Amino acid sequence: MKALRLQSDRVGQIPPYMFAELNKKKAALSARGVDVIDLGVGDPDLPTPAHVLDKMREELSKMENSRYPSYVGCTEFREAVAAYYAQNYGVTLDPDREVLALIGSKEGIANLIYAQVDPGDYALVPDPGYPVYRMATLLANGRYHSLPLRAAEGFLPNYEEIPPEVLAQARILFVNYPNNPTAAVADEAFYARTVNFARAENIVVANDFAYNEIAFNEYKPPSIMQIPGAKDVAVELGSLSKTFSMTGWRIGYIVGNREVIKAVATIKSNVDSGQYTAIQRTAATALTGPRDFLAHNLRVYETRQQTVLEGLKALGIDVSPPRASFFVWAPLPAGAISSADFAEKLLTETGVVVTPGAAFGPHGEGYFRLSLSLATERLEEAMQRIQSLAARTR
Ligand SMILES: *Cc1c(COP(=O)(O)O)cnc(C)c1O
C-alpha cells in the first residue's frame, strides 16, 4: 500500500527561498526594536490615483458586478486595453481575440507557461530574472534554460549562445524590458531581433511589460507588439500594478497572438473565474483616463533615484541613472564576498534591507538591487546609514 504523501513531487521540487535566512534576520531585528528599512520590496507606496478610487466606489455599489465575471474579461476592460495600445504604441488589437484579462500578470505568466510548455519542454528565461518564469516552468514539469544578462551586453540576452538541443525543445522565450532586476531597457531593434529569432526557431515569445510606464526623461519603452509580424509569435503581459500603484488589486492583461491567448483562456477558464468586474471596469477607466498623476509619480521616483545614486557613490559604487523601472541594480562594493554576505552585513550593521543579486539567478551574483518604492524620507535615511557605514569602514 502506498504511504500517505502530503505534497506532489511537483511541489517538492520547488527549492526553498534561498534568502530565507535574510528574512529571518530582518524579522529578528524588527522584533528587537531595530528600525529596519526595507529596500527589498518592489511595491509602490505612492497612492492609487484619486479618480481611480472614486470610480471603484461607484462600481462597488452595482449589484451586477457581484456576479461571476466573464472568463476572458469584461468588454469595457478589453476595449480599454486595445484603446491603450492604439494610443500609446500605434498597435491595433482585436479586443475579442487578442486581449485577455488577467488576475495580475504573475498569474498570467504561470498560466501562459501551462498553456505552452509540456513535460520536458524548455522555457528560455533571463538570468538574473523574475523568479516566476523559472518556478512556474518547474510546476509545469518543464525545464528552463537560463539566458545570461551581462552588463557588457546591456543586460540583453544573446540568442546565439543557446545550445541547439535546447532550441530544439524550446517552446517559450521570456524577455522583460524595462527589466527587473537590472533596470535595463530594450529598443525596437532588440525586439525586432527577438521576433525574428522566435519566428526562425518556432518559439513563442512573451515580453513581460510590467514597467512600461515607469520611465524617465521622456524615454518611452517600446512594445514588442510594434514589430511587424510580432503577432505571429509574440504576446505581451501588462499590469496596472506598477503604473497605477495597484499591486493589491490584481489586474493585468495579455495581448498578442490569438492562438496563444486562446490557449491561456482555456487554462484560465478551468482554473479561475476572472477578476471582480468592479475592478476590471475601474481598471478600464484607469487605462484610458487622465495621466497627470503619472508625471508626478515619475518625478518622485526620479528624485529617489538620485538620492540612491548619491548614496552609492559614497560607497565607491558608480551607477549611471537607470532610464526605467523603480529599481537600481548596483555592483557590490570592493571587498564584498558575495551578494548574500553583503546584504547580510548591511542589514546587521545598518538595518537596511537590499535584495542580493543571486536571488534572481546565478548571473545576478556580484550585484544587489535597491527598490525606490519607499517613502522618500525613509530612502534618505537608508542612504545616510549606508554612507555612515562607509565612513566607519574606510
Ligand atoms: C511586479 C512584476 C510583475 C507582476 O505584476 P502583477 O502584480 O502580478 O501584475 C511581473 N513581472 C515583473 C518583472 C514584475 O516586477
Side-chain angles (χ1 to χ4, degrees), residues 312-349:
L312 289 176
K313 223 173 239 159
L315 286 177
I317 301 172
D318 251 315
V319 179
S320 47
R323 296 172 74 189
S325 89
F326 47 57
F327 300 112
V328 171
W329 182 245
L332 296 176
I337 299 165
S338 69
S339 59
D341 188 71
F342 172 70
E344 201 211 295
K345 282 218 173 80
L346 199 63
L347 176 58
T348 314
E349 292 179 29

Side-chain angles (χ1 to χ4, degrees), residues 227-281:
I227 305 305
K231 281 186 193 173
D232 293 348
V233 285
V235 289
E236 190 158 73
L237 294 130
S239 173
L240 284 274
S241 286
K242 313 292 160 63
T243 306
F244 297 93
S245 301
M246 287 167 61
T247 47
W249 294 49
R250 314 310 304 134
I251 182 75
Y253 46 86
I254 181 168
V255 304
N257 181 281
R258 55 184 68 187
E259 297 303 323
V260 174
I261 301 268
K262 199 167 141 193
V264 177
T266 298
I267 303 268
K268 279 178 61 61
S269 63
N270 287 287
V271 170
D272 69 64
S273 296
Q275 181 52 281
Y276 180 28
T277 307
I279 288 180
Q280 292 190 47
R281 288 191 168 144

Side-chain angles (χ1 to χ4, degrees), residues 45-61 240 244-249 278-279 281-283 285-286 290 293:
D45 63 304
L46 300 174
T48 305
H51 68 275
V52 175
L53 296 178
D54 289 344
K55 174 69 172 168
M56 187 63 192
R57 283 185 198 97
E58 191 188 315
E59 292 296 331
L60 263 175
S61 63
L240 284 274
F244 297 93
S245 301
M246 287 167 61
T247 47
W249 294 49
I279 288 180
R281 288 191 168 144
T282 303
T285 59
F293 78 93

